[in-house]
Amino acid sequence: MSLTGQHILSSDLFDRGRLEELFGLADVLVPVARGEQVTRVLEGAVMASLFFEPSTRTRLSCESAFLRLGGAVTSTTGSEVSSLSKGESLADTSQVIAGYCDLAVMRHPEVSSIHEFAAVSNIPVVNAGNGAGEHPTQALLDMYTLYREFGRLGKSMDGRRIALIGDLRHGRAPHSLMKLLARYDDLTIVCVSPEGLGMPEELLELVAARGHRVEESHRPSVGLADADAIYATRLQTERFADKPLPYSDEFRVDRALVERVCRPDAVIMHPLPRDSRPGANDLGTDLNGDPRLAVFRQSDAGIPTRMALFASVLGVADEVRKSLRPATWHRPAYRRPDDAAFYRNTANIAD
Ligand code: ASP
């Protein structure tokens, strides 16, 4: 079944065939994401960008993706600047926006919000994070990153050992990622968390029911060993009634831990933001410049992945290839200082 016209509320929607199709289209769109080529397949379309919770990457990359497809974006950020602060229901807001726009992307702190919003909308609604629920577009870009990184390393997706570490209880990104990992074969999924912050049982069961090996651990030095990919996550402080205790330093994924226990070709990911304040014990900044650290390649992947999704949902996926033209403006060969060395040493990932 095609994605045209569908709401994207959960990563459940994507089976392996759909993922592979989407990644094929994302590959075609990488030069557009990098500003090397131009397409106008969404010329005239308008996206509503509705963020009622903080966001940097998801909002800017959804908006950039839509704009790079030739569409236009209208936005509201924070409930205090929208009519929700005047007591308007999400259902009314949704019906108004359906009259203005062709696609809506929404982030909201309540898990039920996206369902209420989408239930009364005939334009596609994309979940950009519903509280501690799901974050399907993050999971799509995470899988696309794994597909590209394992491809670069000459490894297949199947048979890999993937470790997820941190606040797996409240992290919506790892929740959505588990549902996509489940679509592959013969994985070992290791969930490493402090006591009380483990992956929800139903997600562990879902993955196990699809034939994968599932391990849980409270000890990073054991859980991360031999993993092909490590997916670190931030303590979701906004989901606690009282300020939570930070991760213990055992949970800091830094150079010392990585050198001690991780594979030399491990792919180190994080949905970002990483909490870099002293004592947060999140993913360490001392890994910057290490080619295993894939976090900025991962955030870059948000653009082609979301472009592929929007083009598919709005029914123009087949138009993309023939619409591409070269871009003419100046752009740097590499966008970040560490990129040049990485791409020069890993010829195939830049293609
Ligand atoms: N940016 C991701 C999210 O919105 C991860 C995080 O905030 O920790 O869920």
Side-chain angles (χ1 to χ4, degrees):
M1 206 177 55
S2 122
L3 283 176
T4 305
Q6 300 252 10
H7 294 316
I8 310 294
L9 308 186
S10 164
S11 59
D12 259 350
L13 194 63
F14 296 88
D15 59 18
R16 191 158 175 168
R18 273 191 172 159
L19 288 173
E20 281 165 11
E21 220 172 281
L22 203 77
F23 297 164
L25 185 57
D27 283 342
V28 171
L29 285 161
V30 165
V32 181
R34 293 206 180 120
E36 294 158 10
Q37 292 186 339
V38 178
T39 172
R40 312 302 296 163
V41 281
L42 285 188
E43 190 164 15
V46 178
M47 174 184 122
S49 170
L50 310 164
F51 281 77
F52 303 117
E53 229 189 22
S55 173
T56 303
R57 271 149 296 275
T58 307
R59 183 166 74 83
L60 293 189
S61 75
C62 282
E63 294 180 357
S64 300
F66 210 84
L67 291 166
R68 284 194 188 272
L69 289 167
V73 173
T74 182
S75 65
T76 185
T77 50
S79 31
E80 63 289 349
V81 295
S82 80
S83 287
L84 292 176
S85 68
K86 300 182 190 168
E88 184 171 56
S89 68
L90 270 174
D92 278 4
T93 305
S94 173
Q95 296 193 72
V96 169
I97 284 164
Y100 297 163
C101 300
D102 303 290
L103 177 143
V105 173
M106 186 177 81
R107 168 172 291 184
H108 193 283
E110 300 298 330
V111 172
S112 59
S113 58
I114 196 75
H115 304 283
E116 285 167 40
F117 192 91
V120 289
S121 181
N122 287 349
I123 65 164
V125 172
V126 176
N127 181 3
N130 57 325
E134 279 218 47
H135 196 347
T137 68
Q138 175 72 46
L140 290 173
L141 78 88
D142 292 339
M143 279 314 305
Y144 183 61
T145 304
L146 286 172
Y147 152 86
R148 284 180 71 87
E149 295 287 320
F150 288 156
R152 167 176 73 79
L153 295 165
K155 296 179 176 185
S156 74
M157 238 343 274
D158 297 321
R160 301 274 73 83
R161 184 177 181 90
I162 315 278
L164 295 91
I165 173 166
D167 182 357
L168 305 180
R169 176 165 168 220
H170 302 102
R172 56 196 173 196
H175 296 169
S176 285
L177 184 57
M178 286 288 273
K179 294 184 178 178
L180 295 189
L181 288 171
R183 300 292 190 173
Y184 289 80
D185 291 321
D186 193 28
L187 300 179
T188 302
I189 299 179
V190 192
C191 292
V192 189
S193 57
E195 278 312 331
L197 298 182
M199 184 65 80
E201 206 56 47
E202 67 271 15
L203 289 169
L204 296 172
E205 281 164 14
L206 171 92
V207 165
R210 297 232 173 105
H212 303 288
R213 288 168 296 281
V214 182
E215 297 172 12
E216 283 193 278
S217 167
H218 300 305
R219 297 191 48 214
S221 57
V222 176
L224 302 192
D226 212 32
D228 295 287
I230 291 156
Y231 191 88
T233 62
R234 180 179 66 88
L235 182 63
Q236 305 284 296
T237 40
E238 64 275 44
R239 309 282 172 232
F240 292 78
D242 301 314
K243 203 173 163 351
L245 287 176
Y247 292 147
S248 75
D249 56 6
E250 203 197 348
F251 276 80
R252 187 168 58 234
V253 181
D254 60 4
R255 182 170 291 278
L257 180 68
V258 168
E259 293 301 346
R260 191 157 52 84
V261 306
C262 296
R263 291 174 62 100
D265 64 351
V267 176
I268 303 172
M269 297 169 60
H270 190 300
L272 302 180
R274 57 180 158 180
D275 190 339
S276 301
R277 289 171 289 196
N281 294 330
D282 199 335
L283 178 66
T285 49
D286 62 354
L287 284 164
N288 291 358
D290 186 316
R292 288 173 288 190
L293 187 75
V295 294
F296 299 117
R297 301 194 289 281
Q298 184 184 356
S299 59
D300 284 354
I303 304 283
T305 313
R306 288 173 170 130
M307 273 197 282
L309 182 70
F310 296 148
S312 303
V313 165
L314 290 178
V316 293
D318 294 340
E319 313 297 312
V320 168
R321 280 179 181 79
K322 51 182 184 283
S323 73
L324 299 174
R325 286 183 285 117
T328 50
W329 63 84
H330 168 80
R331 60 196 172 272
Y334 299 103
R335 289 181 184 248
R336 285 175 292 262
D338 292 337
D339 288 356
F342 176 81
Y343 286 113
R344 268 194 223 111
N345 294 331
T346 52
N348 61 350
I349 200 174
D351 299 334

